[in-house]
């Protein structure tokens, strides 16, 4: 999953549409402010840059000391991984039918 994401980034194949739609706390709680897309993209970028191998053998972008999370990065990487996995498992998608 991490390797696939890395290759997409290296190849410049990740593009975020100007018309992207996001869901956040503000959609469920009127007291919460809406977060602009540019801030969310910056947060995703920060989370992806924090990913590393940890001494216990795990790979993450979390940092308990500073409270940094990696939820956005994990969601993107899982989406990439499952997208590739589904396409590889379905011959009709690969054009083999």
């Amino acid at each position: 999953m991490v390797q696939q994401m890395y290759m997409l980034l290296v190849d410049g194949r990740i593009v975020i549409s100007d018309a992207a739609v996001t869901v956040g706390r503000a959609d469920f709680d009127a007291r919460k402010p809406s977060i602009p897309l540019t801030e969310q993209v910056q947060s995703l970028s920060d989370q992806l840059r924090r990913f590393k191998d940890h001494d216990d053998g795990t790979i993450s972008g979390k940092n308990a000391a500073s409270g940094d999370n990696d939820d956005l990065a994990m969601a993107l990487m899982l989406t990439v991984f499952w997208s590739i996995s589904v396409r590889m498992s379905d011959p009709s998608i690969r054009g083999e039918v």
Side-chain angles (χ1 to χ4, degrees):
M1 176 176 79
V2 174
Q3 291 173 333
Q4 290 169 347
M5 186 75 234
Y6 181 73
M7 288 308 302
L8 290 175
L9 291 169
V10 167
D11 292 344
R13 296 180 59 203
I14 298 294
V15 177
I16 299 172
S17 171
D18 290 336
V21 176
T22 63
V23 176
R25 268 289 182 228
D27 297 312
F28 303 101
D29 186 347
R31 297 171 294 174
K32 300 290 183 181
S34 180
I35 301 172
L37 180 61
T38 54
E39 286 184 35
Q40 293 182 26
V41 171
Q42 184 60 53
S43 182
L44 172 61
S45 175
D46 294 343
Q47 289 181 19
L48 286 168
R49 273 182 281 188
R50 278 197 306 269
F51 259 78
K52 65 178 181 177
D53 293 316
H54 295 278
D55 294 337
D56 64 0
T58 61
I59 301 172
S60 80
K62 290 189 177 209
N63 183 342
S66 62
D68 292 331
N69 287 313
D70 62 1
D71 299 352
L72 294 173
M74 285 298 294
L76 178 60
M77 288 192 292
L78 284 167
T79 301
V80 166
F81 173 80
W82 283 111
S83 171
I84 292 170
S85 297
V86 167
R87 285 183 281 142
M88 292 306 295
S89 69
D90 187 343
S92 67
I93 295 173
R94 293 193 317 256
E96 296 178 11
V97 174

